[in-house]
Amino acid sequence: MRTRTVLIVLFEGIQPLDVTGPHEVFAGVRHAHGGEGAYEVRTATIDGEPVRSTSGLRLAPDAALGDCAVPDLLVVPGGEGALEPDPRIVAWLRDNGPRAGRLLSVCTGAFLVGAAGLLDGRRATTHWAYCDRFTERFPQVRLDPEPIFVRDGRVATSAGVTAGIDLALAVVEEDHGREVALTIARHLVVFLRRPGNQRQFSVPLAAQTAGRPTLRDLQHWIVEHLRADLSVDALADRAGLSPRHFARAFRDEVGTTPGRYVDLVRLEAARRLLEDTGQGVEEVSRACGYGTPEAMRRAFVRSLGAGPAEYRRRFRPMTTVQPLAG
């Protein structure tokens, strides 16, 4: 397998994790795959000079962008500097982005790629906090605020900083296979790469937090007691309200019905157990309050389009881990 070139663009006000996360993933292939088909990773700034990140970390590049050959894989990180980008970098991306084999953006790096016109007509995503601003600035882009990363042809965009690691792992899996990607994921202690269509938020974070303390405490209690009776009547009794009053108040304050909230929390817990543990499907179904594997299967098919066994087949944990050299 030939060596693939990776070029990471650096600029003032960059988010350092957007750089180091993908960099570590691509560099890890050399150790996980015995050097075969490894990536040659380089960084570059517009003028070859060091830049300062949002946290104050100083990053020294390998080269100036103008001196770099068009790479197999071009990575555009995010950060405050991507929101009001250097016109010289935008121009360079406009000229060179279409010629790169693949183009990836991390977090608000989508603003840079969008400013270069490389997302026009494409489906994309970015960090949740900047989705409204992105849509206003780039109405020609089909922004999807939900997934942690989106792939549209040769261009891929990702959400928050850790989503850049997920996207890089997806690229490694595509180039080198699942076992290599999972070996790197374990080494980085991210355990398992998340599927791109996974939401940016967990259910408790995505849902609104109730205003009144009793309902807010109940939300936390549900997450920690999935095997309990979580019917509306039981939850209403725990909240000290009538079932009708409870259902109305919960919907008004949390933004969804109690039943739907319970369904989503159980589904997320089951997904995490299937991804990160070796527990059997029956054991997972009991732990998450489904009662039977069939009840959990119906919930998975309804929400994810695949049963638990198929979901685990795609995202199962490794049974053995090949250690990486330090």
Side-chain angles (χ1 to χ4, degrees):
M1 296 177 66
R2 69 179 182 85
T3 297
R4 294 178 174 87
T5 57
V6 179
L7 180 62
I8 304 177
V9 179
L10 305 183
F11 49 85
E12 287 291 332
I14 202 168
Q15 165 59 257
L17 283 176
D18 290 2
V19 178
T20 58
H23 194 294
E24 287 292 331
V25 171
F26 293 126
V29 170
R30 185 175 302 278
H31 303 292
H33 210 219
E36 185 180 357
Y39 299 93
E40 179 187 336
V41 187
R42 303 186 77 202
T43 60
T45 60
I46 193 65
D47 53 9
E49 294 299 316
V51 294
R52 183 88 47 190
S53 74
T54 52
S55 63
L57 183 66
R58 189 170 178 267
L59 301 176
D62 296 310
L65 284 172
D67 296 331
C68 296
V70 177
D72 296 308
L73 184 61
L74 179 60
V75 180
V76 182
E80 293 176 2
L83 301 177
E84 299 296 336
D86 185 331
R88 297 174 297 169
I89 295 179
V90 174
W92 186 92
L93 286 173
R94 185 180 297 115
D95 293 339
N96 294 275
R99 298 191 292 137
R102 285 170 291 184
L103 173 62
L104 313 182
S105 75
V106 183
C107 197
T108 53
F111 281 78
L112 265 169
V113 181
L118 303 179
L119 294 178
D120 291 359
R122 294 184 183 274
R123 181 168 168 259
T125 194
T126 190
H127 190 288
W128 64 269
Y130 297 92
C131 285
D132 289 344
R133 189 188 307 187
F134 186 92
T135 300
E136 292 174 3
R137 190 175 300 184
F138 307 109
Q140 68 275 26
V141 180
R142 294 181 287 121
L143 187 73
D144 187 343
E146 293 289 345
I148 58 174
F149 65 80
V150 168
R151 304 179 73 168
D152 189 328
R154 52 176 288 278
V155 178
T157 52
S158 60
V161 290
T162 57
I165 294 176
D166 294 300
L167 178 53
L169 287 168
V171 170
V172 170
E173 181 173 344
E174 179 180 295
D175 292 346
H176 297 281
R178 175 182 175 77
E179 294 305 315
V180 172
L182 289 177
T183 297
I184 296 170
R186 290 283 181 165
H187 176 68
L188 296 177
V189 201
V190 291
F191 295 105
L192 194 69
R193 78 164 181 85
R194 297 174 291 176
N197 62 357
Q198 184 165 312
R199 291 173 177 265
Q200 293 193 35
F201 287 124
S202 65
V203 172
L205 288 178
Q208 300 174 33
T209 300
R212 67 181 74 186
T214 53
L215 295 184
R216 188 166 60 245
D217 291 344
L218 185 63
Q219 285 181 270
H220 298 310
W221 186 87
I222 289 171
V223 173
E224 297 173 356
H225 297 84
L226 294 179
R227 300 180 66 171
D229 179 359
L230 300 181
S231 65
V232 170
D233 287 348
L235 293 175
D237 183 65
R238 186 169 189 84
L241 301 170
S242 70
R244 178 176 297 181
H245 185 192
F246 166 73
R248 183 171 60 252
F250 193 96
R251 184 178 61 250
D252 290 345
E253 297 198 23
V254 180
T256 189
T257 66
R260 179 60 177 160
Y261 183 81
V262 169
D263 288 345
L264 290 173
V265 171
R266 278 184 169 146
L267 182 68
E268 180 176 283
R271 286 172 63 170
R272 291 188 182 279
L273 288 177
L274 289 172
E275 292 171 5
D276 297 342
T277 77
Q279 294 182 28
V281 172
E282 184 172 353
E283 188 178 0
V284 171
S285 68
R286 288 198 305 268
C288 297
Y290 285 108
T292 67
E294 177 58 24
M296 186 170 79
R297 189 193 71 80
R298 289 197 300 269
F300 266 66
V301 171
R302 183 170 58 249
S303 297
L304 303 175
E310 171 63 15
Y311 186 86
R312 167 163 273 173
R313 187 188 69 78
R314 293 189 62 196
F315 305 111
R316 65 177 174 80
M318 291 182 63
T319 54
T320 59
V321 180
Q322 176 184 350
L324 300 186

